[in-house]
Amino acid sequence: MALLTLIIALLFERYFHTGNSDERQKYSNANWFVAYQKRLGESFGEQSWFKGWLAEAALILLPVILIFLLFETFGDGFISSLIMLALAVVILVHCLGPESPRKSLREYFSDIAQDDEQGAYEHAVNFAGKEADDWAQTQRMVSQAIFTETQRRYAAVVIWFVLLGPAGALLYRLLDWYLANNPEGSLSAPLKSIMDWVAGRISVLAYLLAGDMASGVSKIKRKFFDFNVDGMELVEETGVAAIGPVLDCETEQKQKVAENLCALKLTERTGVILFAFVAVMSLLGWTWV
């Protein structure tokens, strides 16, 4: 069921991305989670026990546990399987995205094509969440963000969906939403670090297969099993290294973003490898089904 769920979810993703971002955003926003957090705060905020890691556990783990129990206890009949498949697709689509890095960078590439380097820089800063000193640093900053955002929006969600089912995908996304506003979470921060560490290593292997393996291996061979190296950091370093040499493009505009274009293509090839990984895991019966 994991493979079929992923195929259907990706078809929905393709359909959504042919439209505008607002349409896709409706299916992956955190509004219900914000309302749920507010309701819990109003109900238990005055309680002495509702603080720190226990409050985070109630907020994040309760929905995950409910989904896990639902899939574990629901019947095995044909109708039941169809209902569970539909629910799994809804959860996975909800946890993906809401927008691919390529789509997020449309205005960035458009500005470069129009020789608006200042506009492109502003879009780059908005996408990467940090600033750069010159254009070389800007291009590298965007490439790094392409890999980390692809991991955060898609790869990690899919990997944990395969390993732990819909509950795993939901857990990763809830942690991501919570830490966006509470970066020092006493429970959520270490838990997400563990999930990123595991998912990052799987993605790194896919990047090595999809890109310049020699450069990638030389970059990460001493860090792969290091528990002190964050998963996102390793994905970022490996992705950039696996791009390999960037050939000169035909136009000056493309030269300015050549590495970024190569980074996007590499993430897309890596996505195919991760899809094959899901297929193999499903055939071997090593998924959540």
Side-chain angles (χ1 to χ4, degrees):
M1 186 182 291
L3 180 59
L4 180 58
T5 302
L6 181 59
I7 291 173
I8 297 174
L10 292 178
L11 289 175
F12 272 105
E13 279 291 298
R14 182 175 178 82
Y15 166 76
F16 282 131
H17 288 309
T18 58
N20 57 56
S21 299
D22 292 338
E23 181 182 6
R24 180 64 183 89
Q25 184 69 34
K26 294 177 183 177
Y27 294 89
S28 293
N29 65 66
N31 290 345
W32 73 267
F33 183 65
V34 173
Y36 166 59
Q37 184 176 5
K38 182 179 179 181
R39 179 62 62 87
L40 280 184
E42 293 174 349
S43 301
F44 304 105
E46 300 300 324
Q47 302 295 323
S48 59
W49 59 268
F50 194 73
K51 299 183 186 302
W53 69 268
L54 196 56
E56 292 180 37
L59 176 66
I60 297 171
L61 297 184
L62 184 57
V64 174
I65 292 173
L66 290 175
I67 291 297
F68 177 79
L69 292 176
L70 179 62
F71 277 89
E72 286 297 312
T73 58
F74 215 79
D76 295 328
F78 178 72
I79 300 300
S80 299
S81 297
L82 287 180
I83 294 174
M84 289 297 97
L85 174 62
L87 181 58
V89 170
V90 169
I91 293 172
L92 184 55
V93 172
H94 180 60
C95 294
L96 291 174
E99 187 174 73
S100 68
R102 182 178 288 276
K103 193 168 185 178
S104 297
L105 290 169
R106 278 182 178 176
E107 294 181 351
Y108 166 76
F109 290 125
S110 176
D111 287 339
I112 288 297
Q114 298 173 21
D115 292 321
D116 183 5
E117 192 167 303
Q118 179 59 36
Y121 174 75
E122 291 174 0
H123 285 116
V125 170
N126 183 60
F127 177 70
K130 54 185 178 181
E131 298 183 351
D133 296 329
D134 53 39
W135 186 255
Q137 286 188 14
T138 300
Q139 185 175 194
R140 175 55 54 87
M141 175 182 74
V142 171
S143 294
Q144 292 170 338
I146 286 171
F147 293 116
T148 54
E149 286 301 304
T150 299
Q151 182 72 8
R152 185 181 68 82
R153 300 180 190 184
Y154 291 98
V157 173
V158 170
I159 289 169
W160 283 108
F161 174 79
V162 173
L163 296 179
L164 295 180
L170 182 61
L171 175 59
Y172 186 86
R173 183 54 66 224
L174 293 185
L175 289 170
D176 184 63
W177 284 341
Y178 181 80
L179 288 171
N181 297 314
N182 306 274
E184 302 299 326
S186 56
L187 173 67
S188 52
L191 182 55
K192 187 168 185 293
S193 293
I194 293 172
M195 297 187 78
D196 279 334
W197 194 96
V198 175
R201 268 62 187 176
I202 296 174
S203 294
V204 159
L205 295 177
Y207 277 116
L208 294 179
L209 292 173
D212 188 335
M213 181 176 290
S215 297
V217 169
S218 65
K219 187 72 175 178
I220 60 103
K221 60 183 179 182
R222 295 181 180 178
K223 299 181 178 181
F224 190 83
F225 295 106
D226 190 342
F227 288 100
N228 294 318
V229 178
D230 180 72
M232 287 295 188
E233 176 186 339
L234 192 66
V235 166
E236 181 180 291
E237 291 186 13
T238 305
V240 171
I243 291 175
V246 178
L247 301 178
D248 290 338
C249 297
E250 296 179 358
T251 65
E252 182 180 352
Q253 288 84 1
K254 286 188 175 181
Q255 287 177 3
K256 290 182 179 179
V257 292
E259 183 182 278
N260 303 150
L261 293 171
C262 290
L264 286 171
K265 291 178 181 178
L266 178 57
T267 60
E268 290 161 358
R269 294 198 303 272
T270 301
V272 174
I273 292 176
L274 287 176
F275 184 84
F277 162 74
V278 176
V280 172
M281 292 281 285
S282 296
L283 291 174
L284 295 176
W286 293 350
T287 60
W288 56 277
V289 177

